[in-house]
Amino acid sequence: MRLLFFDIDGTIFDDNRRLPASVLPAMEAARRNGHQLIINTGRTLCNRDRRLDGFPLDGWIMGCGTRIIYHGETLTSLEYDPEESLRLRQIFLELGIPTVWECDTALYFDPAGASCPEISGFRKFAEREGICRDLAEGDPEFRAVKMFCFADERRIGTLEAKTARTGMPFTAINRGPEAWEIVPAG
């Protein structure tokens, strides 16, 4: 038995978000040959691609490793609790870092970052998918799993130092010029 890992965009689905006719039969053949199929994606639970429902999958590694699901059972789940999430929000605001908050239930958008053009693109996607929420204090479902933010390396370094001092360390993954995914260190 082997574990076979697949990304979603540009792997299972082509660059035009279409499913090539060969994918599902190939996955079914791999399962018949005793292999286990795992999706490994940066997407969080709320952003799981429903087009994969019914595929012969054994598990998911989601949100850059923040959630691991195997045969329907969650083995690992890293997330900040609501209080920590609000403390993190305050640090991001103090540093002026526009952020999309990826939670299990929705993508949260902070009114303070509404003017950032990159955030606008995320918001349009989330609205189209029905997973868009405005961030409001007291929302019990605001439990940050990971964050997508826009900042230079200096501000990310400052963010890293501040969050480490508050007991909320993270890993920053550079996704391009001034684009970062921030995931809890676990």
Side-chain angles (χ1 to χ4, degrees), residues 52-183:
L52 295 173
D53 291 350
F55 274 57
L57 300 173
D58 294 286
W60 294 77
I61 299 173
M62 305 180 85
C64 300
T66 58
R67 178 176 301 276
I68 299 174
I69 300 170
Y70 184 67
H71 292 287
E73 180 183 343
T74 298
L75 303 180
T76 302
S77 178
L78 297 175
E79 63 185 7
Y80 297 105
D81 67 30
E83 183 180 305
E84 290 172 324
S85 297
L86 288 173
R87 286 196 338 250
L88 276 173
R89 175 189 182 227
Q90 189 57 43
I91 293 169
F92 277 78
L93 286 174
E94 287 170 8
L95 295 173
I97 299 175
T99 307
V100 176
W101 300 88
E102 298 185 48
C103 302
D104 283 344
T105 55
L107 297 184
Y108 282 80
F109 295 86
D110 199 322
S115 64
C116 176
E118 293 86 358
I119 299 285
S120 298
F122 274 93
R123 185 177 188 94
K124 286 177 186 170
F125 166 80
E127 287 170 346
R128 188 175 61 247
E129 297 296 315
I131 57 172
C132 181
R133 281 201 193 148
D134 286 321
L135 199 153
E137 287 193 37
D139 184 336
E141 293 183 353
F142 179 57
R143 303 174 65 90
V145 173
K146 74 174 186 141
M147 292 71 71
F148 201 94
C149 64
F150 300 90
D152 58 36
E153 273 191 65
R154 182 190 55 76
R155 283 194 294 167
I156 293 298
T158 303
L159 175 67
E160 192 169 27
K162 282 187 165 219
T163 57
R165 282 194 303 272
T166 61
M168 296 182 292
F170 66 82
T171 300
I173 304 164
N174 190 325
R175 296 297 187 200
E178 298 192 355
W180 301 84
E181 283 186 276
I182 308 293
V183 297

